[in-house]
Amino acid sequence: MTRVTVITGGAGGMGQATAKVVGQDQAVLLADVRQERLDAAAATLSELGIAVTTVNADVTDREAVDGLLKTAAEVGAIAAVIHAAGVSPSMGDAEYVMRTNALGTLHVNEAFFATAPEGAAIVNVASMAAHLLPEEIIPTQHFPLALQDQDRFLTEMLAACTLAPEEMRSGLAYAISKAFVKWYSSSQAERFNGRGLRIVSVSPGSIDTEMGRLEEQAGAGAMVADAAVPRWGKPEEMADLLAYCASDRAGYLTGTDILNDGGVVASMRERARLSQANSSSV
Protein backbone atom coordinates (compact mmCIF):
# COMPACT_ATOMS: atom_id res chain seq x y z
CA MET A 1 0.00 0.00 0.00
CA THR A 2 1.15 3.55 -0.75
CA ARG A 3 2.61 5.39 2.24
CA VAL A 4 2.05 9.12 2.52
CA THR A 5 3.64 11.89 4.56
CA VAL A 6 1.62 15.03 5.25
CA ILE A 7 3.55 18.30 5.39
CA THR A 8 1.69 21.34 6.69
CA GLY A 9 3.14 24.65 5.62
CA GLY A 10 4.13 22.64 2.60
CA ALA A 11 4.38 25.59 0.25
CA GLY A 12 7.08 27.20 2.40
CA GLY A 13 10.82 26.83 2.09
CA MET A 14 11.27 24.14 4.74
CA GLY A 15 8.12 22.34 3.67
CA GLN A 16 9.19 22.05 0.04
CA ALA A 17 12.74 21.06 0.95
CA THR A 18 11.42 18.34 3.23
CA ALA A 19 9.02 17.09 0.58
CA LYS A 20 11.96 16.58 -1.79
CA VAL A 21 13.56 14.26 0.77
CA VAL A 22 10.58 12.21 1.96
CA GLY A 23 9.10 12.12 -1.54
CA GLN A 24 11.93 9.89 -2.73
CA ASP A 25 10.23 6.78 -1.39
CA GLN A 26 6.62 7.73 -0.63
CA ALA A 27 3.77 9.99 -1.64
CA VAL A 28 3.57 13.50 -0.22
CA LEU A 29 0.56 15.59 0.69
CA LEU A 30 1.27 19.30 0.98
CA ALA A 31 -1.11 21.49 2.98
CA ASP A 32 -1.02 25.28 3.03
CA VAL A 33 -3.34 28.31 2.94
CA ARG A 34 -1.67 29.80 -0.15
CA GLN A 35 -3.10 28.12 -3.22
CA GLU A 36 -0.78 29.74 -5.77
CA ARG A 37 2.26 28.70 -3.75
CA LEU A 38 0.83 25.21 -3.35
CA ASP A 39 0.35 24.88 -7.08
CA ALA A 40 3.91 26.05 -7.74
CA ALA A 41 5.35 23.65 -5.14
CA ALA A 42 3.37 20.75 -6.58
CA ALA A 43 4.64 21.53 -10.08
CA THR A 44 8.25 21.60 -8.87
CA LEU A 45 7.89 18.29 -7.02
CA SER A 46 6.08 16.61 -9.88
CA GLU A 47 8.96 17.50 -12.21
CA LEU A 48 11.22 15.58 -9.81
CA GLY A 49 9.00 12.52 -10.12
CA ILE A 50 7.44 12.90 -6.67
CA ALA A 51 3.82 11.87 -6.23
CA VAL A 52 2.20 14.92 -4.67
CA THR A 53 -1.29 15.91 -3.57
CA THR A 54 -2.20 19.39 -2.34
CA VAL A 55 -4.89 20.55 0.08
CA ASN A 56 -5.69 24.16 0.91
CA ALA A 57 -6.26 23.98 4.66
CA ASP A 58 -6.06 26.42 7.57
CA VAL A 59 -4.64 24.70 10.66
CA THR A 60 -6.61 27.02 12.95
CA ASP A 61 -9.79 25.34 11.65
CA ARG A 62 -10.14 21.89 13.25
CA GLU A 63 -12.72 20.75 10.68
CA ALA A 64 -10.32 21.68 7.87
CA VAL A 65 -7.56 19.70 9.61
CA ASP A 66 -9.82 16.68 9.99
CA GLY A 67 -10.61 16.92 6.28
CA LEU A 68 -6.91 17.18 5.49
CA LEU A 69 -6.09 13.92 7.27
CA LYS A 70 -9.11 12.24 5.71
CA THR A 71 -7.77 13.17 2.28
CA ALA A 72 -4.33 11.89 3.25
CA ALA A 73 -5.81 8.53 4.28
CA GLU A 74 -7.44 8.29 0.86
CA VAL A 75 -4.02 8.74 -0.77
CA GLY A 76 -2.44 5.99 1.31
CA ALA A 77 -1.44 4.85 4.77
CA ILE A 78 -0.29 7.87 6.79
CA ALA A 79 3.36 7.29 7.66
CA ALA A 80 4.00 10.70 9.19
CA VAL A 81 2.89 14.27 9.60
CA ILE A 82 5.51 17.01 9.55
CA HIS A 83 3.81 20.05 11.00
CA ALA A 84 5.73 23.03 9.66
CA ALA A 85 2.80 25.46 9.35
CA GLY A 86 3.22 28.57 11.45
CA VAL A 87 3.66 32.32 11.42
CA SER A 88 6.39 34.66 12.64
CA PRO A 89 5.97 37.80 14.78
CA SER A 90 6.10 40.08 11.74
CA MET A 91 3.07 38.39 10.19
CA GLY A 92 0.37 39.44 12.65
CA ASP A 93 -0.67 40.43 16.15
CA ALA A 94 -0.26 38.34 19.29
CA GLU A 95 -3.64 36.60 18.99
CA TYR A 96 -3.06 35.65 15.35
CA VAL A 97 0.37 34.26 16.18
CA MET A 98 -0.94 32.30 19.17
CA ARG A 99 -3.94 30.87 17.32
CA THR A 100 -1.84 29.76 14.38
CA ASN A 101 1.17 28.37 16.20
CA ALA A 102 -0.32 26.98 19.39
CA LEU A 103 -3.91 26.07 18.52
CA GLY A 104 -2.89 25.07 15.00
CA THR A 105 -0.42 22.62 16.48
CA LEU A 106 -3.05 21.30 18.86
CA HIS A 107 -5.53 20.73 16.02
CA VAL A 108 -3.05 18.94 13.76
CA ASN A 109 -1.71 16.74 16.54
CA GLU A 110 -5.07 15.81 18.02
CA ALA A 111 -6.44 14.93 14.58
CA PHE A 112 -3.31 12.85 13.96
CA PHE A 113 -3.74 11.09 17.31
CA ALA A 114 -7.35 10.25 16.51
CA THR A 115 -6.76 8.83 13.03
CA ALA A 116 -3.14 7.84 12.35
CA PRO A 117 -2.28 4.14 12.07
CA GLU A 118 0.08 2.43 14.50
CA GLY A 119 3.72 3.15 13.71
CA ALA A 120 3.12 6.66 12.38
CA ALA A 121 5.04 9.69 13.66
CA ILE A 122 4.37 13.40 13.95
CA VAL A 123 7.15 15.97 13.94
CA ASN A 124 6.27 19.46 15.15
CA VAL A 125 8.31 22.53 14.27
CA ALA A 126 9.03 24.60 17.38
CA SER A 127 11.76 27.26 17.48
CA MET A 128 14.98 28.30 19.19
CA ALA A 129 12.85 31.14 20.58
CA ALA A 130 11.32 28.60 22.96
CA HIS A 131 14.81 27.85 24.30
CA LEU A 132 15.72 31.51 24.76
CA LEU A 133 12.60 32.50 26.71
CA PRO A 134 13.21 32.72 30.50
CA GLU A 135 11.31 29.89 32.21
CA GLU A 136 9.76 32.22 34.77
CA ILE A 137 7.69 34.00 32.09
CA ILE A 138 6.49 30.87 30.29
CA PRO A 139 2.90 30.17 31.45
CA THR A 140 3.50 26.42 31.51
CA GLN A 141 0.96 25.93 34.28
CA HIS A 142 -1.77 26.97 31.82
CA PHE A 143 -0.59 24.85 28.87
CA PRO A 144 -2.83 21.85 29.82
CA LEU A 145 -5.87 24.11 29.31
CA ALA A 146 -5.37 23.64 25.57
CA LEU A 147 -6.65 20.08 25.96
CA GLN A 148 -9.56 21.15 28.15
CA ASP A 149 -10.80 24.61 27.19
CA GLN A 150 -9.27 26.33 24.17
CA ASP A 151 -10.92 29.68 24.88
CA ARG A 152 -9.49 29.79 28.41
CA PHE A 153 -6.14 28.64 27.08
CA LEU A 154 -6.03 31.47 24.55
CA THR A 155 -7.09 33.99 27.22
CA GLU A 156 -4.29 32.90 29.56
CA MET A 157 -1.69 32.89 26.78
CA LEU A 158 -2.59 36.42 25.69
CA ALA A 159 -2.61 37.57 29.31
CA ALA A 160 0.96 36.30 29.61
CA CYS A 161 1.88 38.40 26.57
CA THR A 162 0.84 41.62 28.33
CA LEU A 163 4.14 41.44 30.22
CA ALA A 164 5.65 43.01 27.10
CA PRO A 165 4.94 46.45 25.60
CA GLU A 166 2.31 46.44 22.86
CA GLU A 167 4.87 46.57 20.05
CA MET A 168 6.68 43.49 21.40
CA ARG A 169 3.70 41.29 22.17
CA SER A 170 3.60 39.42 18.87
CA GLY A 171 7.24 38.46 19.48
CA LEU A 172 6.49 37.22 22.99
CA ALA A 173 3.42 35.38 21.66
CA TYR A 174 5.66 33.66 19.14
CA ALA A 175 8.11 32.49 21.79
CA ILE A 176 5.34 31.33 24.14
CA SER A 177 3.49 29.56 21.33
CA LYS A 178 6.65 27.67 20.37
CA ALA A 179 7.29 26.84 24.04
CA PHE A 180 3.82 25.29 23.97
CA VAL A 181 4.72 23.24 20.89
CA LYS A 182 7.81 21.99 22.69
CA TRP A 183 5.82 21.22 25.87
CA TYR A 184 3.05 19.41 24.00
CA SER A 185 5.50 17.27 22.06
CA SER A 186 7.05 16.12 25.32
CA SER A 187 4.05 15.89 27.65
CA GLN A 188 1.90 13.87 25.23
CA ALA A 189 4.54 11.27 24.33
CA GLU A 190 3.21 8.58 26.68
CA ARG A 191 -0.37 9.11 25.52
CA PHE A 192 0.70 8.89 21.88
CA ASN A 193 2.75 5.78 22.56
CA GLY A 194 -0.40 4.15 23.91
CA ARG A 195 -1.61 4.17 20.30
CA GLY A 196 1.77 3.16 18.88
CA LEU A 197 2.55 6.68 17.69
CA ARG A 198 5.68 8.82 18.05
CA ILE A 199 5.76 12.57 18.66
CA VAL A 200 8.83 14.81 18.40
CA SER A 201 9.55 18.51 18.03
CA VAL A 202 12.42 20.19 16.20
CA SER A 203 13.52 23.74 17.00
CA PRO A 204 15.08 25.54 14.02
CA GLY A 205 17.23 28.61 14.35
CA SER A 206 17.21 31.36 11.72
CA ILE A 207 16.58 29.55 8.44
CA ASP A 208 17.01 31.19 5.04
CA THR A 209 13.38 31.09 3.97
CA GLU A 210 10.87 33.78 3.10
CA MET A 211 9.40 33.67 6.61
CA GLY A 212 12.79 33.49 8.29
CA ARG A 213 14.04 36.56 6.49
CA LEU A 214 11.00 38.55 7.66
CA GLU A 215 12.61 38.56 11.10
CA GLU A 216 16.06 39.61 9.89
CA GLN A 217 15.56 43.21 10.95
CA ALA A 218 13.78 42.22 14.16
CA GLY A 219 16.77 40.69 15.89
CA ALA A 220 17.35 37.41 14.10
CA GLY A 221 20.14 38.90 12.00
CA ALA A 222 22.13 39.86 15.09
CA MET A 223 21.67 36.42 16.63
CA VAL A 224 22.92 34.76 13.45
CA ALA A 225 26.07 36.88 13.50
CA ASP A 226 26.79 35.82 17.09
CA ALA A 227 26.13 32.10 16.56
CA ALA A 228 28.73 29.35 16.80
CA VAL A 229 28.04 28.84 13.08
CA PRO A 230 27.62 32.49 12.03
CA ARG A 231 25.31 32.11 9.06
CA TRP A 232 21.68 31.45 8.21
CA GLY A 233 20.66 27.82 8.14
CA LYS A 234 19.66 26.25 4.86
CA PRO A 235 16.16 24.78 4.38
CA GLU A 236 17.84 21.56 3.24
CA GLU A 237 19.66 21.30 6.58
CA MET A 238 16.31 21.32 8.35
CA ALA A 239 14.70 19.05 5.76
CA ASP A 240 17.08 16.15 6.32
CA LEU A 241 16.56 16.35 10.09
CA LEU A 242 12.77 16.58 9.82
CA ALA A 243 12.68 13.68 7.38
CA TYR A 244 14.85 11.54 9.65
CA CYS A 245 12.71 12.26 12.72
CA ALA A 246 9.62 11.22 10.77
CA SER A 247 11.19 8.05 9.39
CA ASP A 248 11.12 4.50 10.68
CA ARG A 249 14.86 4.79 11.35
CA ALA A 250 14.03 7.08 14.28
CA GLY A 251 11.73 4.51 15.87
CA TYR A 252 13.17 5.08 19.37
CA LEU A 253 12.88 8.87 19.19
CA THR A 254 9.86 10.39 20.93
CA GLY A 255 8.89 12.95 23.55
CA THR A 256 11.84 15.25 22.98
CA ASP A 257 12.93 18.40 21.15
CA ILE A 258 15.95 18.69 18.87
CA LEU A 259 17.52 22.14 18.69
CA ASN A 260 19.09 22.85 15.28
CA ASP A 261 20.12 26.49 15.47
CA GLY A 262 23.76 26.71 14.44
CA GLY A 263 24.75 27.09 18.08
CA VAL A 264 22.86 30.35 18.70
CA VAL A 265 21.44 29.24 22.07
CA ALA A 266 24.72 27.66 23.18
CA SER A 267 26.70 30.79 22.28
CA MET A 268 24.27 33.18 23.95
CA ARG A 269 24.20 31.13 27.15
CA GLU A 270 27.99 30.90 27.31
CA ARG A 271 28.39 34.63 26.68
CA ALA A 272 25.88 35.33 29.46
CA ARG A 273 27.76 32.99 31.81
CA LEU A 274 31.09 34.66 31.06
CA SER A 275 29.58 38.11 31.47
CA GLN A 276 28.17 37.17 34.86
CA ALA A 277 31.45 35.58 35.92
CA ASN A 278 33.41 38.67 34.91
CA SER A 279 30.98 40.93 36.75
CA SER A 280 31.29 38.81 39.90
CA SER A 281 35.09 38.96 39.80
CA VAL A 282 35.25 42.76 39.60
Side-chain angles (χ1 to χ4, degrees):
M1 184 179 185
T2 300
R3 301 181 81 212
V4 59
T5 288
V6 176
I7 304 176
T8 68
M14 277 197 297
Q16 285 192 59
T18 305
K20 291 176 183 177
V21 179
V22 299
Q24 297 303 310
D25 59 7
Q26 58 188 264
V28 173
L29 187 150
L30 300 184
D32 209 292
V33 292
R34 302 167 295 179
Q35 190 61 52
E36 288 185 7
R37 296 287 298 277
L38 268 177
D39 293 342
T44 297
L45 294 173
S46 294
E47 289 175 1
L48 296 173
I50 295 171
V52 58
T53 302
T54 62
V55 174
N56 190 314
D58 183 347
V59 297
T60 66
D61 181 344
R62 176 57 192 268
E63 288 187 6
V65 171
D66 288 340
L68 164 64
L69 290 186
K70 181 179 179 182
T71 299
E74 292 169 354
V75 174
I78 298 175
V81 171
I82 297 172
H83 177 48
V87 295
S88 69
S90 298
M91 297 172 71
D93 62 15
E95 182 173 350
Y96 174 69
V97 170
M98 193 65 68
R99 281 188 184 278
T100 305
N101 294 349
L103 291 183
T105 295
L106 181 73
H107 293 161
V108 172
N109 280 259
E110 290 298 313
F112 170 84
F113 177 81
T115 62
E118 183 176 348
I122 187 163
V123 182
N124 295 307
V125 175
S127 170
M128 70 176 177
H131 292 259
L132 293 169
L133 197 62
E135 287 190 14
E136 58 269 22
I137 66 173
I138 304 175
T140 309
Q141 72 274 21
H142 297 305
F143 283 173
L145 282 173
L147 293 157
Q148 304 157 12
D149 186 331
Q150 290 186 22
D151 290 336
R152 278 189 62 204
F153 169 75
L154 189 60
T155 296
E156 294 291 351
M157 295 303 102
L158 295 178
C161 293
T162 60
L163 289 171
E166 183 70 39
E167 66 274 13
M168 297 177 64
R169 287 179 189 171
S170 61
L172 183 54
Y174 179 81
I176 290 175
S177 69
K178 292 302 188 177
F180 171 78
V181 174
K182 190 166 161 281
W183 170 86
Y184 181 96
S185 301
S186 174
S187 67
Q188 302 307 302
E190 188 172 356
R191 179 167 72 101
F192 275 52
N193 187 65
R195 286 209 54 242
L197 307 172
R198 291 190 301 110
I199 178 172
V200 178
S201 63
V202 171
S203 287
S206 296
I207 308 301
D208 194 3
T209 62
E210 178 186 10
M211 190 172 88
R213 288 289 181 175
L214 284 176
E215 304 307 314
E216 186 170 7
Q217 302 305 316
M223 285 192 287
V224 168
D226 289 337
V229 180
R231 64 169 173 82
W232 288 73
K234 301 173 184 176
E236 293 77 14
E237 291 171 319
M238 287 305 307
D240 284 329
L241 176 58
L242 292 169
Y244 171 75
C245 291
S247 74
D248 294 339
R249 292 175 296 157
Y252 198 55
L253 185 67
T254 194
T256 193
D257 179 83
I258 299 174
L259 177 63
N260 188 17
D261 68 338
V264 169
V265 172
S267 296
M268 291 182 72
R269 286 178 177 166
E270 179 61 8
R271 287 192 178 94
R273 185 192 69 78
L274 290 173
S275 177
Q276 184 175 22
N278 291 335
S279 297
S280 300
S281 64
V282 173

